[in-house]
Amino acid sequence: HNPRPYEATNLQQQFEYGSLVKVRLKWVKNKTLDHVIDTHTDLKAASLLKDAISRSSAGFITSKSIADSQKLLGLTVPTLRFIRRYPTLFEEFPHPRYPSLPCFRLTNVAKTLHNLELSLHQTHEADTVQRLCRILMMTKSKILPLQSLHPLKWDLGLPDDFDRNLVKKFPDHFQVVKGTNGLLSLKLHQWREEFAVSELQKSNENGDLANPNGEYRQFKRGQTALAFPMGFPRGYGAQKKVKAWMEEFQKLPYISPYEDSTGIDPNSELMEKRVVGVLHEFLALTMYKKTKRNYLRSLREELNLPHKFTRIFTRYPGIFYLSLKCKTTTVALKEGYRRGRLVDRHPILRLREKFYYVMRTGLVYRNKGLDMIPQLDNLCNDGVEGMEQEESEEEEEEQEELETEDDCYEEDTSEAETDSDED
């Protein structure tokens, strides 16, 4: 079974596609989201190092084996310096045969957290399978190279060994095959219509349950478009040109990212809204509602995105935020955050928060970090409600401080789309 081809409804047939009033906007920092991205960069790097140690048959990694991993981990400091910051997670010891070679193994608290993570992956396996199916269902050929999916493991909340164990366990959902390019790829075994409902459709449907004349019911009857939630920075949403542009954009028909879009004019405004919809859905399926621009670029052709698709992020700053933090480009879905906090937290993210707490304890207390390991062992067994409360109060103060520094977008009629699509 293939995806539904895009068909115009009555409303869409009657809609006269005029020329959208296009206002170019200067890109300006959002310090609150930059702070979130900065925090997650270190958390992700530590998590990937933890997975590398767990995968190792020796049970440890050497400083030599991680020497060239700085860029891969997204770090701005050498990996050896980074791993030494966190003695509560990584225990340093000399190599058994080469004493001058530093080695690192997991502390007991890190092992406990890793085992809890494995258990959570099993508990939420059905959710993971659906998420992976939906990513494949958005693609043209329902297949993606594993080398494009591996960098997305952390963002999509996939188990470290998803390409082996998950595929073996769900042969009616996935197959590992050799793609036309000769690369090992993950293929969707069969189309699943029950998964072909976008997050935007779901949120509108849930909001319309008590309203028989609600927007989503009208959308289903082909009588209305479906609007994207927009969060406007101060001093920007009220501008007449911007308001007119966004109102016209919202009136354009919504095309589900699970519909076949090959029949739509690639240069049309309708296709632009479809691209916004695909990027919105992809980011909504990620754990933190964000990912690196480069990861999306590797999926560009399969997702049927235009060459300069990253311009969409700066053209629609009410929906997306493009961050240049940590020497890379990250794209975030703005509706996923409120006051610098993730709105919808998956249970795996709650465990990652514990992991980050252990990290911070090692960093804040430096040499005393090792002395605190018994206390941290207890935190894994007894929970960290009190500690999380203390953390959240600190973060609340920090976020309030950051929010007062948020910048506004400014109208700009000059060429503001300076994104060269090089990263």
Side-chain angles (χ1 to χ4, degrees):
H1 181 75
N2 290 321
R4 304 178 298 274
Y6 170 72
E7 292 176 6
T9 62
N10 294 337
L11 168 89
Q12 293 158 9
Q13 284 166 347
Q14 294 164 10
F15 198 96
E16 292 182 12
Y17 300 113
S19 199
L20 285 181
V21 181
K22 294 187 179 179
V23 181
R24 293 196 177 100
L25 302 162
K26 286 180 182 176
W27 175 88
V28 186
K29 279 184 182 183
N30 178 320
K31 291 185 175 68
T32 308
L33 283 175
D34 277 349
H35 175 70
V36 171
I37 288 160
D38 200 13
T39 299
H40 289 171
T41 298
D42 285 357
L43 174 58
K44 179 181 176 180
S47 297
L48 294 178
L49 286 166
K50 181 261 298 173
D51 289 342
I53 295 171
S54 299
R55 277 197 307 271
S56 167
S57 56
F60 63 85
I61 53 176
T62 66
S63 59
K64 189 177 178 182
S65 68
I66 58 172
D68 299 325
S69 62
Q70 181 181 333
K71 190 175 180 184
L72 187 70
L73 293 170
L75 295 172
T76 54
V77 297
T79 309
L80 183 59
R81 191 194 308 173
F82 175 83
I83 201 169
R84 279 177 166 160
R85 283 180 183 172
Y86 305 111
T88 46
L89 290 174
F90 308 109
E91 182 187 345
E92 184 173 346
F93 66 98
H95 192 279
R97 288 178 63 189
Y98 312 103
S100 61
L101 180 64
C103 297
F104 298 88
R105 60 189 162 215
L106 296 180
T107 61
N108 285 336
V109 68
K111 285 178 190 172
T112 304
L113 289 168
H114 180 70
N115 291 332
L116 284 170
E117 186 182 345
L118 296 179
S119 175
L120 271 178
H121 277 306
Q122 286 200 328
T123 305
H124 298 279
E125 207 167 47
D127 176 53
T128 306
V129 167
Q130 181 180 151
R131 193 179 310 116
L132 195 50
C133 279
R134 288 169 72 183
I135 294 291
L136 292 169
M137 285 166 66
M138 283 196 281
T139 64
K140 283 194 288 191
S141 54
K142 313 299 169 272
I143 185 170
L144 282 174
L146 287 172
Q147 70 175 28
S148 295
L149 284 170
H150 277 297
L152 283 158
K153 277 192 294 191
W154 201 77
D155 289 347
L156 291 172
L158 303 177
D160 191 44
D161 58 359
F162 80 94
D163 53 337
R164 298 185 300 280
N165 291 350
L166 207 61
V167 172
K168 278 182 191 171
K169 199 168 178 180
F170 296 91
D172 55 333
H173 289 70
F174 312 110
Q175 290 174 301
V176 172
V177 299
K178 193 168 274 192
T180 51
N181 49 12
L183 298 171
L184 275 182
S185 303
L186 189 68
K187 183 181 180 182
L188 184 75
H189 184 65
Q190 76 179 79
W191 181 266
R192 297 186 174 267
E193 192 62 31
E194 68 272 23
F195 293 167
V197 182
S198 72
E199 291 299 302
L200 185 66
Q201 287 172 309
K202 283 182 186 177
S203 61
N204 276 271
E205 189 172 24
N206 293 340
D208 266 12
L209 288 176
N211 184 2
N213 297 312
E215 184 182 35
Y216 189 70
R217 289 171 192 261
Q218 290 185 53
F219 165 74
K220 293 283 278 185
R221 292 195 290 264
Q223 296 168 353
T224 184
L226 211 54
F228 290 92
M230 292 203 182
F232 296 112
R234 291 188 298 275
Y236 152 53
Q239 292 178 21
K240 284 184 182 177
K241 276 189 181 179
V242 177
K243 215 169 183 180
W245 172 27
M246 289 306 159
E247 281 174 6
E248 289 302 307
F249 167 77
Q250 296 283 33
K251 285 177 189 173
L252 287 167
Y254 172 76
I255 302 166
S256 166
Y258 303 105
E259 290 184 60
D260 182 0
S261 62
T262 50
I264 303 171
D265 177 359
N267 299 314
S268 65
E269 286 156 358
L270 191 59
M271 180 57 95
E272 183 164 310
K273 185 157 185 182
R274 181 254 165 199
V275 170
V276 170
V278 169
L279 295 170
H280 180 283
E281 178 72 355
F282 192 96
L283 293 172
L285 289 174
T286 62
M287 294 277 102
Y288 290 110
K289 315 306 173 196
K290 62 180 176 63
T291 193
K292 287 189 179 182
R293 182 178 65 176
N294 268 354
Y295 298 166
L296 284 169
R297 186 176 292 125
S298 70
L299 311 176
R300 186 189 68 76
E301 286 188 25
E302 272 300 331
L303 291 175
N304 195 20
L305 301 174
H307 277 283
K308 297 286 185 182
F309 77 91
T310 58
R311 290 185 174 187
I312 293 290
F313 301 127
T314 50
R315 276 175 48 69
Y316 295 93
I319 304 173
F320 307 111
Y321 174 60
L322 195 73
S323 171
L324 305 177
K325 196 75 181 167
C326 300
K327 296 184 181 177
T328 188
T329 310
T330 302
V331 190
L333 191 63
K334 291 185 79 174
E335 73 193 69
Y337 290 85
R338 191 172 298 130
R339 290 176 57 79
R341 291 178 169 275
L342 200 61
V343 175
D344 180 24
R345 290 192 304 167
H346 192 281
I348 283 175
L349 303 193
R350 294 181 187 277
L351 184 68
R352 286 180 184 176
E353 285 169 12
K354 291 186 181 184
F355 191 80
Y356 185 64
Y357 181 87
V358 175
M359 277 178 69
R360 273 191 62 172
T361 304
L363 183 63
V364 171
Y365 294 98
R366 299 286 178 175
N367 298 332
K368 291 182 183 176
L370 291 171
D371 300 331
M372 297 191 69
I373 284 182
Q375 179 190 338
L376 294 170
D377 277 328
N378 291 334
L379 107 89
C380 293
N381 300 322
D382 304 334
V384 285
E385 286 75 12
M387 293 177 179
E388 282 179 345
Q389 181 65 36
E390 186 183 319
E391 282 278 286
S392 66
E393 284 170 7
E394 283 177 24
E395 285 174 15
E396 189 74 39
E397 288 172 16
E398 198 171 0
Q399 291 304 339
E400 283 177 12
E401 190 179 315
L402 285 164
E403 279 172 5
T404 59
E405 297 173 349
D406 273 3
D407 294 295
C408 303
Y409 285 88
E410 300 169 24
E411 187 179 325
D412 181 22
T413 51
S414 65
E415 182 58 58
E417 292 164 355
T418 53
D419 180 9
S420 64
D421 274 76
E422 292 173 9
D423 210 17

